[in-house]
Amino acid sequence: MTLSILLVVSAALFCIGLLAALSRRHAIFILIGIEMMLAAANLNFIAFWRFGPEPQQPTGVMVAIFSIAIAAAEAAVGLALVIAVYRHYRTTNVDQLNQLKG
Amino acid sequence: MSSVAFIVIAILTLGGALAAATLQKLMHAALSLVVAFVGLAAFFFLLGAEFVGLVQVFVYVGAVAVLIVFTILLTRHDLEKPGRFNWGGVVVAIAVFAGLVWAILRTPTLAIAAPPIEALTVKRIGEVLMTDYVWPLQCVGVLLTAALIGALILVMEEKRE
């Protein structure tokens, strides 16, 4: 197990998240994709910390912990927005949310 | 760090993520997301960051997945209509993946094995969190409070006068 293999796995996870965020029309699927991309970034933080020159300093671990906390806040606000949009428009399909279109 | 464990965890994580991205039913996708996140936590354990793995399980599997399931419950109106699948997203994702893999594999400094380290204890993490990272910790606390109050205000029922 080398660093590059781990980075390839993380890149694959990121691209699957990108695929979900770009190609699905349901708002919750888009949020799931964004969560997956954030999780792939966390994996990169941990991998670079573990394989880096100074693994005694827990910098990467700290950044990953803060990143998880911020991702949780983002998920809470995002899902609340989905619920608010659903109440207003009775749909969660992002293609139908085109009221701002000129 | 055994390579067999690595391959098993990688297949579990990527399979779960792919299922979450492509399954038609939203509830199945949410449960596949849980599988992917558990696999990611296993990666963190494998890399010696046990605390981050546990936080991952608590936050993502315990909180975010339940939040997604509740949101599905509350917005269950147009769930069964199969949406149009956008193939442009597939092309973009594959192109980004190819570019990233190309960049990773042709960088020779990345092909290194892990140096041996002594285990990172929770005591050490707590010490660092209370000394070097105390201001980021406070900021994250304020951010989480603000975000959760904002989420509550967003979903509160409007009073009809």
Side-chain angles (χ1 to χ4, degrees):
Chain A
M1 183 165 118
T2 62
L3 179 55
S4 39
I5 299 297
L6 212 54
L7 292 184
V8 168
V9 171
S10 159
L13 193 60
F14 180 86
C15 290
I16 293 170
L18 191 67
L19 168 76
L22 287 181
S23 61
R24 303 309 292 256
R25 300 269 64 91
H26 200 289
I28 298 176
F29 271 116
I30 295 175
L31 272 173
I32 285 176
I34 291 171
E35 289 294 321
M36 267 193 261
M37 290 195 267
L38 280 166
N42 279 343
L43 182 57
N44 261 13
F45 282 132
I46 297 292
F48 277 111
W49 162 74
R50 182 65 182 82
F51 288 81
E54 278 186 28
Q56 304 309 330
Q57 295 288 341
T59 315
V61 172
M62 288 302 144
V63 174
I65 290 171
F66 287 130
S67 165
I68 289 175
I70 291 169
E74 173 262 329
V77 175
L79 291 169
L81 267 176
V82 171
I83 293 176
V85 164
Y86 177 76
R87 279 220 186 108
H88 202 80
Y89 292 106
R90 310 311 287 174
T91 182
T92 46
N93 187 329
V94 290
D95 273 348
Q96 292 172 24
L97 306 177
N98 51 8
Q99 304 288 309
L100 284 178
K101 205 165 164 184
Chain B
M1 275 192 259
S2 77
S3 50
V4 177
F6 176 81
I7 292 168
V8 170
I9 296 170
I11 290 172
L12 186 78
T13 308
L14 294 180
L18 206 59
T22 54
L23 280 181
Q24 200 57 249
K25 286 227 167 110
L26 202 45
M27 190 60 90
H28 297 175
L31 297 179
S32 312
L33 188 73
V34 169
V35 173
F37 282 151
V38 168
L40 207 64
F43 263 129
F44 293 157
F45 275 94
L46 199 65
L47 288 168
E50 287 90 355
F51 184 70
V52 184
L54 278 177
V55 169
Q56 168 91 14
V57 170
F58 287 154
V59 172
Y60 277 106
V61 180
V64 173
V66 173
L67 211 58
I68 290 176
V69 169
F70 266 100
T71 312
I72 296 170
L73 178 80
L74 288 175
T75 63
R76 226 187 141 78
H77 184 60
D78 51 356
L79 206 60
E80 306 303 325
K81 275 184 258 171
R84 185 167 50 84
F85 201 79
N86 185 356
W87 289 98
V90 181
V91 174
V92 171
I94 289 173
V96 170
F97 182 62
L100 283 173
V101 168
W102 176 77
I104 289 165
L105 291 185
R106 70 186 292 277
T107 309
T109 48
L110 292 181
I112 49 175
I117 56 165
E118 50 188 90
L120 183 67
T121 57
V122 179
K123 182 167 179 280
R124 172 113 172 85
I125 291 178
E127 277 172 6
V128 175
L129 211 55
M130 281 298 139
T131 54
D132 293 348
Y133 292 90
V134 67
W135 289 113
L137 186 70
Q138 305 295 328
C139 291
V140 166
V142 172
L143 175 86
L144 275 175
T145 313
L148 293 182
I149 292 173
L152 269 180
I153 289 172
L154 273 177
V155 297
M156 238 191 282
E157 293 279 359
E158 290 164 28
K159 285 249 166 53
R160 296 224 167 76
E161 296 297 326

